[in-house]
Amino acid sequence: MSARWDRLAATLAEAGIATEVDRRTWHGETVCRITMRVDGGLITIGDTWRRGRWTGWQVTAEDTDDIVVREFPKTKKRAEVRQHVEEARAVLAS
């Protein structure tokens, strides 16, 4: 699981998006996510699962009042995650 997140962080870094993967243990299982504070709110990238199977990442944008203003589609493609992060930055900046 860590390698997948490290590759995503590298893809984001190539686009000039500085991130750090947050790894935590939850009920004996390592849970990863990326959280970025930006002007206008917070962008989170998290895993999505269905019936114990990984279904991809999902980007969520929250404003300064912790209200979700946009939730992007799940994807397994790192380039799409990068695009979603860039769109989330634009949404929160406006």
Side-chain angles (χ1 to χ4, degrees):
M1 175 166 37
S2 294
R4 178 173 66 232
W5 280 94
D6 292 338
R7 286 191 305 270
L8 176 60
T11 297
L12 294 171
E14 289 170 4
I17 302 168
T19 63
E20 188 173 319
V21 179
D22 180 22
R23 293 175 173 86
R24 296 175 190 235
T25 302
W26 181 261
H27 298 287
E29 192 172 320
T30 301
V31 178
C32 297
R33 75 176 185 182
I34 293 174
T35 304
M36 295 170 274
R37 292 219 175 272
V38 296
D39 288 341
L42 183 73
I43 299 171
T44 305
I45 305 169
D47 277 324
T48 60
W49 296 86
R50 184 168 183 217
R51 297 184 194 146
R53 185 174 174 186
W54 185 71
T55 57
W57 293 288
Q58 188 164 32
V59 176
T60 304
E62 298 178 21
D63 66 13
T64 54
D65 294 324
D66 297 330
I67 296 173
V68 173
V69 294
R70 181 130 184 230
E71 192 170 71
F72 293 82
K74 299 173 188 174
T75 183
K76 290 184 177 182
K77 298 178 181 178
R78 294 187 309 271
E80 288 180 4
V81 172
R82 183 184 72 212
Q83 180 183 356
H84 293 167
V85 168
E86 290 169 347
E87 288 178 34
R89 286 173 133 176
V91 165
L92 292 173
S94 61

